[in-house]
Amino acid sequence: MAIDLWIDVILCLSVLFVASSIFLVKNTFSAIVLFICLGLVVMFCWIRLNAIDVAIAEAAIGSGLTGAMLIAAWRKLAFNESGDQPDEQKEKSE
Amino acid sequence: MILMTQSMLFSLCAVILLAIGLIGFLLTSDFLRKLLALNVIGMAIFMVLIAAANNDPNAVDPLPHAMVLTGIVVAAAGTALGLNLASKIVKFARSIQGENTAIENKKSNATQDSSSGQTD
Amino acid sequence: MKTSSLVSQRTMAVVIISLVSAIAALLLIAFIQQPVHDNALREVVFANLDKTGVSNPVTAVLLNYRAFDTYLEFAVFLCVAVAVLPYVLDVQLPKQKLSAESQVLAIAKIFVPLSILMAGYLLWIGSTQPGGAFQAASLLAGCLVLLSLANVRTIDFSTARSRFLLSGGLLAFIVVNIVVFSQTFCFITLPQNIAGSLILFIEFFATFAVSASLFLCFESIHKGHL
Protein backbone atom coordinates (compact mmCIF):
# COMPACT_ATOMS: atom_id res chain seq x y z
CA MET A 1 0.00 0.00 0.00
CA ALA A 2 1.13 3.52 -0.69
CA ILE A 3 2.33 5.87 2.04
CA ASP A 4 -0.91 7.89 1.77
CA LEU A 5 -2.89 4.88 2.87
CA TRP A 6 -0.64 4.28 5.87
CA ILE A 7 -1.21 7.87 6.98
CA ASP A 8 -4.94 7.25 6.65
CA VAL A 9 -4.62 4.05 8.71
CA ILE A 10 -2.84 5.98 11.50
CA LEU A 11 -5.53 8.68 11.34
CA CYS A 12 -8.36 6.12 11.61
CA LEU A 13 -6.65 4.37 14.52
CA SER A 14 -6.30 7.65 16.41
CA VAL A 15 -9.98 8.43 15.76
CA LEU A 16 -11.02 5.07 17.22
CA PHE A 17 -8.62 5.47 20.16
CA VAL A 18 -9.90 8.92 21.13
CA ALA A 19 -13.54 7.88 20.66
CA SER A 20 -13.20 4.81 22.87
CA SER A 21 -11.38 6.76 25.56
CA ILE A 22 -14.35 9.12 25.89
CA PHE A 23 -16.27 6.30 27.56
CA LEU A 24 -13.40 4.83 29.54
CA VAL A 25 -12.31 7.83 31.62
CA LYS A 26 -13.83 8.38 35.05
CA ASN A 27 -14.03 12.17 35.09
CA THR A 28 -16.86 13.75 33.07
CA PHE A 29 -14.88 16.90 32.32
CA SER A 30 -12.11 14.78 30.78
CA ALA A 31 -14.74 13.10 28.59
CA ILE A 32 -15.91 16.49 27.30
CA VAL A 33 -12.36 17.60 26.53
CA LEU A 34 -11.74 14.31 24.71
CA PHE A 35 -14.90 14.93 22.68
CA ILE A 36 -13.46 18.29 21.55
CA CYS A 37 -10.25 16.47 20.59
CA LEU A 38 -12.30 13.92 18.63
CA GLY A 39 -13.89 16.77 16.69
CA LEU A 40 -10.48 18.09 15.72
CA VAL A 41 -9.10 14.68 14.70
CA VAL A 42 -12.20 14.03 12.60
CA MET A 43 -11.55 17.41 10.95
CA PHE A 44 -8.28 15.96 9.68
CA CYS A 45 -10.26 13.04 8.26
CA TRP A 46 -12.45 15.42 6.33
CA ILE A 47 -9.38 17.15 4.90
CA ARG A 48 -7.98 13.78 3.77
CA LEU A 49 -11.32 13.02 2.11
CA ASN A 50 -11.28 16.27 0.07
CA ALA A 51 -14.17 17.86 1.99
CA ILE A 52 -12.78 21.28 2.94
CA ASP A 53 -16.09 23.07 3.57
CA VAL A 54 -17.14 20.29 5.92
CA ALA A 55 -13.76 20.51 7.69
CA ILE A 56 -14.12 24.24 8.40
CA ALA A 57 -17.67 23.80 9.66
CA GLU A 58 -16.77 20.75 11.78
CA ALA A 59 -13.86 22.54 13.48
CA ALA A 60 -15.96 25.58 14.37
CA ILE A 61 -19.39 24.14 15.09
CA GLY A 62 -18.86 20.45 15.72
CA SER A 63 -16.04 20.77 18.22
CA GLY A 64 -15.93 24.47 19.15
CA LEU A 65 -19.50 25.51 19.82
CA THR A 66 -20.72 22.08 20.95
CA GLY A 67 -17.74 21.86 23.33
CA ALA A 68 -18.50 25.29 24.79
CA MET A 69 -22.14 24.34 25.35
CA LEU A 70 -21.18 21.03 26.96
CA ILE A 71 -18.77 22.69 29.40
CA ALA A 72 -21.37 25.35 30.28
CA ALA A 73 -23.90 22.58 30.98
CA TRP A 74 -21.36 20.55 32.97
CA ARG A 75 -20.99 23.48 35.35
CA LYS A 76 -24.72 23.39 36.01
CA LEU A 77 -25.21 19.62 36.16
CA ALA A 78 -22.23 18.23 38.01
CA PHE A 79 -22.08 20.46 41.06
CA ASN A 80 -24.11 20.35 44.24
CA GLU A 81 -26.46 23.14 45.20
CA SER A 82 -24.06 24.67 47.67
CA GLY A 83 -21.43 24.75 44.95
CA ASP A 84 -18.91 22.28 46.33
CA GLN A 85 -17.28 19.31 44.73
CA PRO A 86 -18.87 17.39 41.90
CA ASP A 87 -21.03 14.46 42.97
CA GLU A 88 -18.73 11.77 41.55
CA GLN A 89 -15.76 12.75 43.66
CA LYS A 90 -17.91 12.89 46.76
CA GLU A 91 -19.15 9.36 46.12
CA LYS A 92 -15.58 8.15 45.72
CA SER A 93 -14.47 9.73 48.97
CA GLU A 94 -17.37 8.25 50.93
CA MET B 1 -9.32 -9.88 -0.20
CA ILE B 2 -11.03 -6.55 -0.59
CA LEU B 3 -9.31 -3.77 -2.46
CA MET B 4 -8.47 -1.29 0.28
CA THR B 5 -9.05 2.15 -1.17
CA GLN B 6 -9.21 5.31 0.91
CA SER B 7 -13.00 5.31 0.75
CA MET B 8 -13.27 1.71 1.95
CA LEU B 9 -10.85 2.36 4.84
CA PHE B 10 -12.83 5.32 6.12
CA SER B 11 -16.12 3.42 5.72
CA LEU B 12 -14.80 0.60 7.92
CA CYS B 13 -13.53 3.13 10.46
CA ALA B 14 -16.99 4.71 10.45
CA VAL B 15 -18.73 1.39 11.21
CA ILE B 16 -16.42 0.72 14.17
CA LEU B 17 -16.97 4.31 15.38
CA LEU B 18 -20.73 3.69 15.20
CA ALA B 19 -20.30 0.52 17.28
CA ILE B 20 -18.20 2.41 19.87
CA GLY B 21 -20.80 5.17 20.10
CA LEU B 22 -23.70 2.73 20.41
CA ILE B 23 -22.01 0.65 23.12
CA GLY B 24 -21.07 3.81 24.99
CA PHE B 25 -24.65 5.08 24.77
CA LEU B 26 -26.18 1.86 26.08
CA LEU B 27 -23.73 1.13 28.89
CA THR B 28 -23.36 4.56 30.54
CA SER B 29 -25.83 5.96 32.99
CA ASP B 30 -24.37 9.46 33.14
CA PHE B 31 -26.45 11.88 31.06
CA LEU B 32 -23.63 13.94 29.59
CA ARG B 33 -21.89 10.84 28.31
CA LYS B 34 -25.07 9.66 26.63
CA LEU B 35 -25.22 12.98 24.80
CA LEU B 36 -21.54 12.64 23.83
CA ALA B 37 -22.29 9.13 22.53
CA LEU B 38 -25.11 10.47 20.35
CA ASN B 39 -22.74 13.01 18.86
CA VAL B 40 -20.14 10.31 18.21
CA ILE B 41 -22.77 8.24 16.35
CA GLY B 42 -23.59 11.36 14.31
CA MET B 43 -19.92 11.82 13.38
CA ALA B 44 -19.74 8.18 12.30
CA ILE B 45 -22.69 8.65 9.94
CA PHE B 46 -21.09 11.77 8.48
CA MET B 47 -17.94 9.77 7.87
CA VAL B 48 -19.96 7.15 5.95
CA LEU B 49 -21.45 9.87 3.71
CA ILE B 50 -18.19 11.63 2.94
CA ALA B 51 -16.28 8.40 2.40
CA ALA B 52 -18.94 7.42 -0.15
CA ALA B 53 -18.54 10.79 -1.86
CA ASN B 54 -14.81 10.19 -2.28
CA ASN B 55 -15.04 6.96 -4.28
CA ASP B 56 -13.11 8.54 -7.12
CA PRO B 57 -10.67 11.13 -5.69
CA ASN B 58 -10.47 12.97 -9.01
CA ALA B 59 -14.23 13.39 -9.30
CA VAL B 60 -15.51 14.35 -5.86
CA ASP B 61 -19.28 14.29 -5.41
CA PRO B 62 -20.46 17.54 -3.76
CA LEU B 63 -23.97 16.42 -2.83
CA PRO B 64 -23.07 14.48 0.36
CA HIS B 65 -20.92 17.45 1.42
CA ALA B 66 -24.01 19.65 1.50
CA MET B 67 -25.95 17.02 3.44
CA VAL B 68 -23.20 16.68 6.03
CA LEU B 69 -22.93 20.47 6.38
CA THR B 70 -26.61 20.63 7.23
CA GLY B 71 -26.23 17.63 9.51
CA ILE B 72 -23.37 19.09 11.58
CA VAL B 73 -25.29 22.27 12.28
CA VAL B 74 -28.54 20.48 13.14
CA ALA B 75 -26.67 18.08 15.45
CA ALA B 76 -25.21 21.04 17.34
CA ALA B 77 -28.67 22.59 17.71
CA GLY B 78 -30.08 19.26 18.91
CA THR B 79 -27.32 18.97 21.49
CA ALA B 80 -28.20 22.47 22.71
CA LEU B 81 -31.84 21.49 23.15
CA GLY B 82 -30.87 18.34 25.04
CA LEU B 83 -28.60 20.27 27.39
CA ASN B 84 -31.31 22.85 28.06
CA LEU B 85 -33.76 20.06 28.92
CA ALA B 86 -31.26 18.41 31.25
CA SER B 87 -30.53 21.69 33.07
CA LYS B 88 -34.24 22.32 33.52
CA ILE B 89 -34.80 18.83 34.93
CA VAL B 90 -31.89 19.17 37.36
CA LYS B 91 -33.09 22.59 38.51
CA PHE B 92 -36.62 21.21 39.08
CA ALA B 93 -35.27 18.17 40.96
CA ARG B 94 -33.14 20.38 43.21
CA SER B 95 -36.11 22.61 44.02
CA ILE B 96 -38.19 19.54 44.91
CA GLN B 97 -35.36 18.27 47.09
CA GLY B 98 -35.15 21.68 48.79
CA GLU B 99 -38.88 21.53 49.55
CA ASN B 100 -38.56 18.00 50.94
CA THR B 101 -35.77 18.95 53.31
CA ALA B 102 -37.73 22.01 54.42
CA ILE B 103 -40.78 19.83 55.19
CA GLU B 104 -38.62 17.33 57.11
CA ASN B 105 -37.00 20.12 59.10
CA LYS B 106 -40.42 21.47 59.99
CA LYS B 107 -41.58 18.02 61.12
CA SER B 108 -38.51 17.42 63.31
CA ASN B 109 -38.87 20.88 64.84
CA ALA B 110 -42.54 20.19 65.61
CA THR B 111 -41.74 16.84 67.32
CA GLN B 112 -38.94 18.47 69.32
CA ASP B 113 -41.29 21.22 70.50
CA SER B 114 -43.98 18.71 71.50
CA SER B 115 -41.48 16.49 73.40
CA SER B 116 -39.95 19.50 75.19
CA GLY B 117 -43.48 20.71 75.99
CA GLN B 118 -44.31 17.34 77.64
CA THR B 119 -41.22 17.29 79.80
CA ASP B 120 -41.85 20.83 81.06
CA MET C 1 -27.10 1.23 35.58
CA LYS C 2 -29.77 -0.06 37.93
CA THR C 3 -29.47 -3.78 38.50
CA SER C 4 -32.72 -5.58 37.74
CA SER C 5 -33.67 -8.61 39.79
CA LEU C 6 -33.53 -11.22 37.01
CA VAL C 7 -30.29 -10.42 35.16
CA SER C 8 -27.14 -9.01 36.64
CA GLN C 9 -25.39 -5.97 35.28
CA ARG C 10 -22.53 -7.95 33.83
CA THR C 11 -24.70 -10.28 31.74
CA MET C 12 -26.65 -7.28 30.44
CA ALA C 13 -23.39 -5.63 29.38
CA VAL C 14 -22.23 -8.81 27.64
CA VAL C 15 -25.54 -9.15 25.78
CA ILE C 16 -25.45 -5.51 24.65
CA ILE C 17 -21.84 -5.72 23.46
CA SER C 18 -22.49 -8.95 21.54
CA LEU C 19 -25.59 -7.52 19.84
CA VAL C 20 -23.84 -4.31 18.82
CA SER C 21 -20.87 -6.33 17.52
CA ALA C 22 -23.30 -8.40 15.42
CA ILE C 23 -24.79 -5.20 13.97
CA ALA C 24 -21.31 -3.84 13.23
CA ALA C 25 -20.27 -7.10 11.55
CA LEU C 26 -23.37 -7.05 9.34
CA LEU C 27 -22.67 -3.44 8.37
CA LEU C 28 -19.05 -4.30 7.57
CA ILE C 29 -20.18 -7.15 5.30
CA ALA C 30 -22.63 -4.80 3.61
CA PHE C 31 -19.91 -2.22 3.00
CA ILE C 32 -17.49 -4.78 1.59
CA GLN C 33 -20.10 -6.21 -0.79
CA GLN C 34 -21.56 -2.94 -2.00
CA PRO C 35 -22.12 -2.70 -5.77
CA VAL C 36 -20.18 -0.16 -7.80
CA HIS C 37 -22.43 2.78 -8.63
CA ASP C 38 -21.90 5.36 -11.31
CA ASN C 39 -22.56 8.87 -10.15
CA ALA C 40 -25.10 10.35 -12.53
CA LEU C 41 -26.06 13.25 -10.25
CA ARG C 42 -22.51 14.46 -10.02
CA GLU C 43 -22.31 14.81 -13.81
CA VAL C 44 -25.49 16.89 -13.76
CA VAL C 45 -24.06 19.15 -11.02
CA PHE C 46 -20.83 19.82 -12.88
CA ALA C 47 -22.43 20.14 -16.32
CA ASN C 48 -24.65 23.03 -15.22
CA LEU C 49 -22.21 24.66 -12.77
CA ASP C 50 -21.62 27.74 -14.92
CA LYS C 51 -25.35 28.46 -15.00
CA THR C 52 -25.60 28.66 -11.20
CA GLY C 53 -23.60 31.85 -10.76
CA VAL C 54 -21.00 30.36 -8.40
CA SER C 55 -18.11 28.05 -9.12
CA ASN C 56 -17.83 26.29 -5.76
CA PRO C 57 -19.91 23.12 -6.24
CA VAL C 58 -20.91 22.79 -2.57
CA THR C 59 -22.27 26.37 -2.47
CA ALA C 60 -24.06 25.75 -5.75
CA VAL C 61 -25.69 22.61 -4.33
CA LEU C 62 -26.62 24.32 -1.05
CA LEU C 63 -28.00 27.57 -2.41
CA ASN C 64 -29.08 26.89 -5.95
CA TYR C 65 -29.77 23.25 -6.72
CA ARG C 66 -31.17 22.42 -3.26
CA ALA C 67 -32.18 25.90 -2.16
CA PHE C 68 -35.45 24.67 -0.68
CA ASP C 69 -33.58 22.34 1.71
CA THR C 70 -31.48 25.26 2.93
CA TYR C 71 -34.65 27.32 3.36
CA LEU C 72 -36.09 24.57 5.55
CA GLU C 73 -32.88 24.48 7.52
CA PHE C 74 -33.19 28.21 8.26
CA ALA C 75 -36.71 27.46 9.49
CA VAL C 76 -35.34 24.69 11.74
CA PHE C 77 -32.89 27.20 13.19
CA LEU C 78 -35.70 29.61 13.89
CA CYS C 79 -37.64 26.85 15.68
CA VAL C 80 -34.61 26.00 17.84
CA ALA C 81 -34.12 29.69 18.65
CA VAL C 82 -37.78 30.03 19.67
CA ALA C 83 -37.52 26.91 21.85
CA VAL C 84 -34.42 28.17 23.62
CA LEU C 85 -35.33 31.88 23.91
CA PRO C 86 -37.37 31.74 27.17
CA TYR C 87 -34.36 30.61 29.19
CA VAL C 88 -32.47 33.73 28.20
CA LEU C 89 -35.43 36.07 28.70
CA ASP C 90 -36.16 34.74 32.20
CA VAL C 91 -32.85 35.93 33.56
CA GLN C 92 -33.20 39.49 34.75
CA LEU C 93 -30.52 41.71 33.35
CA PRO C 94 -28.35 42.99 36.20
CA LYS C 95 -29.09 46.56 37.13
CA GLN C 96 -25.53 47.70 37.01
CA LYS C 97 -23.13 46.52 34.37
CA LEU C 98 -20.92 43.64 35.52
CA SER C 99 -17.26 44.52 35.51
CA ALA C 100 -15.74 43.10 32.37
CA GLU C 101 -13.37 40.20 33.11
CA SER C 102 -9.94 41.46 32.32
CA GLN C 103 -8.13 38.34 31.10
CA VAL C 104 -10.77 36.97 28.75
CA LEU C 105 -11.41 40.52 27.57
CA ALA C 106 -7.74 40.91 26.69
CA ILE C 107 -7.91 37.76 24.55
CA ALA C 108 -11.16 38.96 23.00
CA LYS C 109 -9.66 42.32 22.09
CA ILE C 110 -7.07 40.54 19.95
CA PHE C 111 -9.18 37.78 18.44
CA VAL C 112 -12.57 39.33 17.78
CA PRO C 113 -11.53 41.89 15.12
CA LEU C 114 -9.44 39.30 13.28
CA SER C 115 -12.27 36.78 13.45
CA ILE C 116 -14.77 39.27 12.04
CA LEU C 117 -12.39 39.95 9.17
CA MET C 118 -11.93 36.20 8.60
CA ALA C 119 -15.71 35.64 8.68
CA GLY C 120 -16.22 38.30 6.02
CA TYR C 121 -13.51 36.71 3.89
CA LEU C 122 -15.08 33.23 4.24
CA LEU C 123 -18.48 34.62 3.25
CA TRP C 124 -17.11 36.34 0.16
CA ILE C 125 -14.83 33.55 -1.00
CA GLY C 126 -17.62 30.96 -0.70
CA SER C 127 -18.53 31.55 -4.34
CA THR C 128 -15.27 30.20 -5.72
CA GLN C 129 -13.29 28.47 -2.95
CA PRO C 130 -14.33 26.41 0.09
CA GLY C 131 -16.22 28.68 2.43
CA GLY C 132 -19.72 30.05 2.54
CA ALA C 133 -22.42 31.21 4.90
CA PHE C 134 -22.30 28.46 7.53
CA GLN C 135 -18.57 28.69 8.06
CA ALA C 136 -18.68 32.48 8.42
CA ALA C 137 -21.67 32.17 10.77
CA SER C 138 -19.84 29.72 13.01
CA LEU C 139 -16.86 32.07 13.25
CA LEU C 140 -19.11 34.98 14.20
CA ALA C 141 -20.86 32.81 16.79
CA GLY C 142 -17.47 32.02 18.27
CA CYS C 143 -16.75 35.75 18.56
CA LEU C 144 -20.05 36.30 20.37
CA VAL C 145 -19.38 33.39 22.74
CA LEU C 146 -15.96 34.81 23.59
CA LEU C 147 -17.44 38.23 24.34
CA SER C 148 -20.21 36.67 26.44
CA LEU C 149 -17.62 34.82 28.52
CA ALA C 150 -15.90 38.16 29.11
CA ASN C 151 -19.15 39.58 30.63
CA VAL C 152 -19.70 41.99 27.75
CA ARG C 153 -23.39 42.50 26.96
CA THR C 154 -23.64 41.78 23.22
CA ILE C 155 -27.19 41.05 22.00
CA ASP C 156 -30.32 41.92 23.97
CA PHE C 157 -32.82 39.27 22.89
CA SER C 158 -35.91 41.01 24.23
CA THR C 159 -35.95 43.78 21.62
CA ALA C 160 -37.80 43.53 18.33
CA ARG C 161 -34.76 44.06 16.16
CA SER C 162 -33.09 40.95 17.58
CA ARG C 163 -36.10 38.93 16.38
CA PHE C 164 -35.51 40.31 12.88
CA LEU C 165 -31.86 39.34 13.27
CA LEU C 166 -32.83 35.76 14.16
CA SER C 167 -35.17 35.36 11.20
CA GLY C 168 -33.02 37.22 8.67
CA GLY C 169 -32.11 34.20 6.55
CA LEU C 170 -35.71 33.08 6.23
CA LEU C 171 -36.93 36.59 5.37
CA ALA C 172 -34.20 37.20 2.80
CA PHE C 173 -34.98 33.91 1.07
CA ILE C 174 -38.72 34.65 0.97
CA VAL C 175 -38.19 38.21 -0.32
CA VAL C 176 -35.79 37.11 -3.07
CA ASN C 177 -38.07 34.33 -4.25
CA ILE C 178 -41.21 36.47 -4.24
CA VAL C 179 -39.46 39.20 -6.26
CA VAL C 180 -38.04 36.68 -8.75
CA PHE C 181 -41.40 34.92 -9.05
CA SER C 182 -43.18 38.18 -9.78
CA GLN C 183 -40.81 38.87 -12.66
CA THR C 184 -40.27 35.46 -14.24
CA PHE C 185 -43.08 33.24 -12.88
CA CYS C 186 -40.64 30.39 -12.10
CA PHE C 187 -40.81 28.84 -8.60
CA ILE C 188 -37.49 29.01 -6.66
CA THR C 189 -35.44 29.50 -9.80
CA LEU C 190 -32.73 32.13 -9.87
CA PRO C 191 -32.17 33.85 -13.23
CA GLN C 192 -28.74 33.11 -14.59
CA ASN C 193 -27.33 36.61 -14.99
CA ILE C 194 -27.93 37.74 -11.38
CA ALA C 195 -27.78 34.34 -9.63
CA GLY C 196 -24.40 35.01 -8.00
CA SER C 197 -25.51 38.34 -6.54
CA LEU C 198 -28.78 36.91 -5.24
CA ILE C 199 -26.94 34.00 -3.60
CA LEU C 200 -24.59 36.45 -1.89
CA PHE C 201 -27.58 38.53 -0.72
CA ILE C 202 -29.27 35.52 0.85
CA GLU C 203 -25.99 34.30 2.37
CA PHE C 204 -25.31 37.72 3.92
CA PHE C 205 -28.49 37.76 5.98
CA ALA C 206 -28.29 34.03 6.66
CA THR C 207 -24.84 34.45 8.21
CA PHE C 208 -26.11 36.85 10.86
CA ALA C 209 -29.22 34.76 11.51
CA VAL C 210 -27.35 31.47 11.95
CA SER C 211 -24.67 33.05 14.14
CA ALA C 212 -27.31 34.69 16.37
CA SER C 213 -29.15 31.37 16.72
CA LEU C 214 -25.95 29.46 17.62
CA PHE C 215 -25.00 32.18 20.12
CA LEU C 216 -28.50 32.00 21.63
CA CYS C 217 -28.11 28.24 22.12
CA PHE C 218 -24.92 28.82 24.10
CA GLU C 219 -26.27 31.79 26.05
CA SER C 220 -29.34 29.91 27.26
CA ILE C 221 -27.17 27.24 28.89
CA HIS C 222 -24.60 29.71 30.19
CA LYS C 223 -26.84 32.39 31.63
CA GLY C 224 -30.15 30.59 32.04
CA HIS C 225 -31.43 27.96 34.49
CA LEU C 226 -30.67 29.93 37.61
Side-chain angles (χ1 to χ4, degrees), chain A residues 6-18:
Chain A
W6 284 111
I7 294 180
D8 289 336
V9 164
I10 294 177
L11 197 56
C12 288
L13 285 175
S14 36
V15 163
L16 296 174
F17 180 66
V18 172

Side-chain angles (χ1 to χ4, degrees), chain B residues 22-98:
Chain B
L22 202 53
I23 290 178
F25 179 76
L26 290 170
L27 290 183
T28 324
S29 56
D30 192 13
F31 174 74
L32 269 179
R33 295 212 200 204
K34 281 192 194 280
L35 215 50
L36 291 181
L38 279 178
N39 278 348
V40 165
I41 293 176
M43 281 188 190
I45 297 180
F46 299 150
M47 198 179 284
V48 166
L49 279 171
I50 296 195
N54 203 27
N55 254 334
D56 186 9
N58 300 324
V60 175
D61 188 11
L63 283 160
H65 294 350
M67 276 194 268
V68 166
L69 215 51
T70 306
I72 288 178
V73 166
V74 170
T79 304
L81 285 177
L83 290 170
N84 265 317
L85 203 57
S87 306
K88 191 173 170 73
I89 289 176
V90 161
K91 176 179 158 194
F92 185 64
R94 284 194 186 141
S95 72
I96 294 283
Q97 201 178 21

Side-chain angles (χ1 to χ4, degrees), chain A residues 21-59:
Chain A
S21 66
I22 290 180
F23 304 108
L24 295 174
V25 289
K26 298 279 185 295
N27 199 2
T28 311
F29 184 69
S30 307
I32 297 177
V33 170
L34 280 167
F35 175 74
I36 299 178
C37 293
L38 176 71
L40 294 178
V41 176
V42 151
M43 184 198 76
F44 280 115
C45 285
W46 302 152
I47 294 181
R48 278 300 294 157
L49 286 170
N50 296 324
I52 312 289
D53 311 71
V54 176
I56 303 175
E58 167 79 43

